[in-house]
Every structure is written in C-alpha cells, then in structure tokens.
Amino acid sequence: MKGRDQFKKFKKIIDLFVKIFSFLGKNGNEFLLRRVRNTNGKLGLVLRYIFIKNLAKKVGDNVSVQPGVFIFNLNYIEFGNNISIHPMCYLEGAGGIKIGNDVSIAHATTLISTNHTWEDLTTPIKYNKEVLKPIVIEDDVWVGCGVRILSGVIIKRRSIVAAGAVVNKTFEENSIIGGVPAKIIKKL
C-alpha cells in the first residue's frame, strides 16, 4: 500500500489528533516537533505531520517529513498534497515558501528564503539588513539531493533540479536544471 493510500485510510484519525494537539498552541507544538525530529518509522511521520499541520500556514494531505529535517518559520510555509521531504533538509521560511503538489525533495537540500545585504559598510555583513523573498516550488517537481534553492526563486511545474545544483533564478517549466549556478540542461 502506497503512502497516500495509507494516509487516506487513516485521515480521520490523523485529523482528530491534529485537533487535539492544536490545544497546545504554537509553543507546545513547536516543542513536540523538536522532540520528534529524529523519530523513525510511521509514528515519526505521523507525529511530525500533526505538529507541522498545527504550525504551518497551510498543509495538504500526505506530507511526509522524514527524520532529521530542520524547518524554521513554519507559519510562512505552505505545503500541497503528496510531498516528501527527505532527511537532512533545511527549510528557512521567513521570506515564505510554497511547495505545490506531488513534489519530492531529496536529502540534504536547503531552501532559504532570506538573504543578507552588505551595503552598510559600518556594520558587519552578518548584521546588515536581511532581504526576504519567497521560494515557490510548483506542482510535479523533483529536487535532487544536496540542492540549494535561494530566495526569490520559482521552480516551475514538471521540472527536475539535478543533485548539487545551486538555483539562484527562475527557469521555464518542463526543464531539467543543474550546476553551480544552475542553468537549463535539457527540456522535458
């Protein structure tokens, strides 16, 4: 049985637990999410889903967040349906992240919707103003392992981002993109 079929089978029970844990509020759900970050198996997947559902801006059905994923500023992140985020990923949502339907994000990938400026010469760069720009990953996208997607980027529908790519701009849909910095390798 596939994950989405299992999710459908237990959706009512999962939704009940989402409501129960919602009474713990933001702090309680964040605390518990940190505690189950590395919990393996189906229990870990369900618990992370419940807490993320209570914290994120929007969460669809069958969102699989594997162990060892770090997610910050969940209240600015939207998840569609049938998403898998694999171990060791890092999502910084301060500038906004929107992930569409049927998206797979392979291990060790970073989505960072913030960037530092360096214009103020009297202030160290790390304390200069941050710029927040959303990341959008449209439907039917596969993001390979070790990818870096930077703020302001849109990954268009039915695209593949090759392993190790650093994506700093938006490309056409139906593309395979890769490299540092990323460029179009092939049209699908």
Side-chain angles (χ1 to χ4, degrees), residues 13-46:
I13 296 168
I14 293 169
D15 287 344
L16 175 64
F17 278 103
V18 168
K19 285 180 186 174
I20 291 169
F21 281 100
S22 72
F23 291 109
L24 296 176
K26 180 179 187 259
N27 290 338
N29 278 275
E30 284 178 344
F31 173 82
L32 292 170
L33 179 59
R34 283 191 302 274
R35 294 294 171 254
V36 300
R37 176 178 292 132
N38 295 314
T39 302
N40 290 312
K42 291 178 183 174
L43 177 63
L45 289 173
V46 170

Side-chain angles (χ1 to χ4, degrees), residues 19-87:
K19 285 180 186 174
I20 291 169
F21 281 100
S22 72
F23 291 109
L24 296 176
K26 180 179 187 259
N27 290 338
N29 278 275
E30 284 178 344
F31 173 82
L32 292 170
L33 179 59
R34 283 191 302 274
R35 294 294 171 254
V36 300
R37 176 178 292 132
N38 295 314
T39 302
N40 290 312
K42 291 178 183 174
L43 177 63
L45 289 173
V46 170
L47 289 172
R48 283 187 291 278
Y49 177 83
I50 289 167
F51 305 134
I52 289 170
K53 181 93 171 171
N54 282 325
L55 293 166
K57 186 174 182 179
K58 178 186 169 218
V59 179
D61 291 341
N62 193 36
V63 175
S64 168
V65 176
Q66 297 291 317
V69 173
F70 288 83
I71 307 175
F72 299 97
N73 294 299
L74 264 162
N75 54 315
Y76 298 110
I77 301 177
E78 298 179 46
F79 300 91
N81 298 313
N82 304 315
I83 295 172
S84 58
I85 301 173
H86 295 267

